[in-house]
Amino acid sequence: MTKNTVVSGVRATGDLHLGNYLGALKQWVQFVKNENDAEFLFFVADLHAITTPYEANELADNTRQITAAYIASGIDIEKVSLFAQSAVPEHTYLQWLFTSVTPLGWLNRMTQFKEKAGKKRDNASLGLYSYPVLQAADVLLYKATHVPVGEDQKQHIELSREIAGAFNHRYQQDFFPLPEPMILKEGARIMSLRDGTEKMSKSAASDMTRINLTDDADTIAQKIKKARTDPEPVPSSFEDMEARPEAKNLITIYSSLAEVSRESVMSKYGGKQFSEFKGALADLAIEKLGPITAKMNELMADKAQIDAILNKGAARAREIAGPVLEDSKRLMGFWS
Ligand code: AQP
């Protein structure tokens, strides 16, 4: 049996937030702990970061900061290759090869492009439009079998599967595996603290919509205290919860952080005032995130050490990526 290859990444677009942690990172850490015989490659998606407005003088440190967040969250660097996407040029090369098997109609369906491009779609960059093709290259370059992501990335992973299938069909080889998205049942979509119908996001204008992994205890407590709720007490049943997005979000955050079911959260706090529940949630968030923030700060104090980890990871990534790219080119008929 061939071993599993697990690949995922986070855009280097700013501080990681609770959604990134609960939807992606926490799952990665668990997967790495439970699986001893897989190849793990987690990258910082700095090439994806430049598809939306960004500060050039912050990009490299953003990449380091996200690497620090990976390690501080518990990623075992003995088992995992961590690297910057831009340090492995094979990603963009394979993306170009994939553009020739990706019909425009597939890209036109992508909801994330529509959301991120907004109303002025003609002003969005080609990079943003072709983002999902690079994402397909990001995982297929390593013949990934599993891609742990939050729910918002499901459509992109499905597209990666379609691109793999189109390539295999066009070149008559069972060359790329169809990667499986791994999406948690709970916590896969953490919502904004200010609007339970919007995803918690790094790029949302207001910082009060999210809890950042860099927030201190007071900031976390303030943000939870000010999180939007409705005038009713905490819901006691799923039915009640489902109709109240902000309440549902806070219950989901509590259950994911405490690693207990939402039923048990509701049986403890259902019928109580939100002020009491929010106090308990703030304590829990501070208890769980505090050590991660402290470790991130410690790691960021030694950037050379982070760079060494990224260099080592990139070297391993290129060892795998090089032959896959060469084989792809050979199948496509290139001179070599
Ligand atoms: N709100 C969320 N709930 C659960 N999971 C989430 N993820 C993102 N937001 C949530 C997951 O985190 C991983 C990294 O995502 P990303 O930062 O590369 O891109 P994104 O999905 O576009 O996240 P953001 O925060 O909204 O970033 P920006 O603002 O830069 O676009 C992915 O696995 C994602 O599913």
Side-chain angles (χ1 to χ4, degrees):
M1 209 178 82
T2 51
K3 73 177 186 178
N4 287 335
T5 299
V6 184
V7 182
S8 198
V10 173
R11 283 196 341 139
T13 40
D15 292 337
L16 290 196
H17 53 72
L18 192 60
N20 299 131
Y21 175 67
L22 294 176
L25 260 63
K26 202 164 152 266
Q27 193 188 180
W28 301 359
V29 172
Q30 275 311 324
F31 206 170
V32 174
K33 267 198 192 124
N34 297 338
E35 175 80 60
N36 283 322
D37 195 30
E39 181 83 42
F40 289 100
L41 299 128
F42 295 140
F43 59 94
V44 181
D46 50 359
L47 294 171
H48 286 293
I50 64 166
T51 59
T52 43
Y54 79 103
E55 296 295 333
N57 59 0
E58 290 173 5
L59 184 60
D61 258 354
N62 253 328
T63 300
R64 294 188 184 101
Q65 175 103 359
I66 289 177
T67 310
Y70 289 174
I71 301 168
S73 300
I75 295 288
D76 179 352
I77 53 169
E78 297 304 319
K79 284 167 87 176
V80 178
S81 304
L82 299 182
F83 59 98
Q85 185 188 23
S86 61
V88 183
E90 288 83 357
H91 285 244
T92 42
Y93 200 137
L94 188 62
Q95 178 197 21
W96 179 252
L97 302 185
F98 282 165
T99 57
S100 65
V101 293
T102 309
L104 289 183
W106 290 1
L107 293 180
N108 290 338
R109 291 199 317 252
M110 297 296 115
T111 52
Q112 197 176 76
F113 173 75
K114 291 178 195 161
E115 282 161 22
K116 285 199 157 66
K119 289 200 179 82
K120 294 184 177 164
R121 202 171 291 177
D122 281 355
N123 291 347
S125 66
L126 175 60
L128 185 65
Y129 186 66
S130 63
Y131 179 124
V133 188
L134 178 56
Q135 204 170 345
D138 293 337
V139 296
L140 295 172
L141 187 55
Y142 305 100
K143 296 196 169 180
T145 53
H146 296 84
V147 187
V149 284
E151 202 179 68
D152 62 317
Q153 293 299 330
K154 192 169 173 220
Q155 192 185 36
H156 288 169
I157 307 304
E158 276 161 9
L159 185 81
S160 300
R161 292 167 63 89
E162 286 182 296
I163 291 176
F167 184 98
N168 291 348
H169 180 74
R170 169 73 181 79
Y171 298 104
Q172 296 291 302
Q173 290 274 335
D174 197 12
F175 183 67
F176 288 114
L178 306 191
E180 285 294 334
M182 295 176 61
I183 299 172
L184 291 170
K185 282 204 190 80
E186 287 177 19
R189 194 168 176 83
I190 299 297
M191 311 310 279
S192 155
L193 297 178
R194 287 313 181 95
D195 178 351
T197 63
E198 289 276 323
K199 180 179 93 100
M200 186 178 284
S201 174
K202 289 191 229 95
S203 50
S206 165
D207 195 53
M208 294 303 282
T209 58
R210 59 184 167 256
I211 292 172
N212 303 305
L213 294 190
T214 47
D215 285 344
D216 61 22
D218 284 349
T219 311
I220 294 176
Q222 272 305 313
K223 286 179 175 176
I224 293 179
K225 194 171 165 199
K226 295 214 157 107
R228 186 167 151 192
T229 43
D230 53 50
E232 301 296 314
V234 176
S236 323
S237 70
F238 262 93
E239 251 179 333
D240 187 11
M241 182 187 81
E242 285 302 335
R244 297 165 58 194
E246 283 83 18
K248 179 181 174 182
N249 191 36
L250 295 185
I251 290 171
T252 304
I253 293 174
Y254 190 106
S255 90
S256 303
L257 281 171
E259 296 179 13
V260 297
S261 69
R262 289 187 290 189
E263 285 93 331
S264 73
V265 180
M266 283 189 280
S267 70
K268 191 165 175 197
Y269 292 102
K272 296 199 168 146
Q273 290 308 309
F274 264 104
S275 51
E276 183 182 339
F277 177 57
K278 282 178 168 181
L281 178 57
D283 290 346
L284 176 65
I286 292 164
E287 178 200 322
K288 296 285 177 179
L289 302 181
I292 298 178
T293 311
K295 180 79 185 161
M296 274 171 73
N297 291 338
E298 191 189 310
L299 289 161
M300 280 302 280
D302 187 355
K303 291 183 187 171
Q305 192 198 352
I306 296 185
D307 290 350
I309 292 167
L310 288 172
N311 283 329
K312 183 171 165 233
R316 172 66 188 144
R318 294 198 75 182
E319 255 172 41
I320 304 170
V324 175
L325 180 63
E326 281 314 308
D327 286 347
S328 310
K329 286 172 64 187
R330 188 178 41 75
L331 287 173
M332 291 177 76
F334 282 97
W335 168 87
S336 66

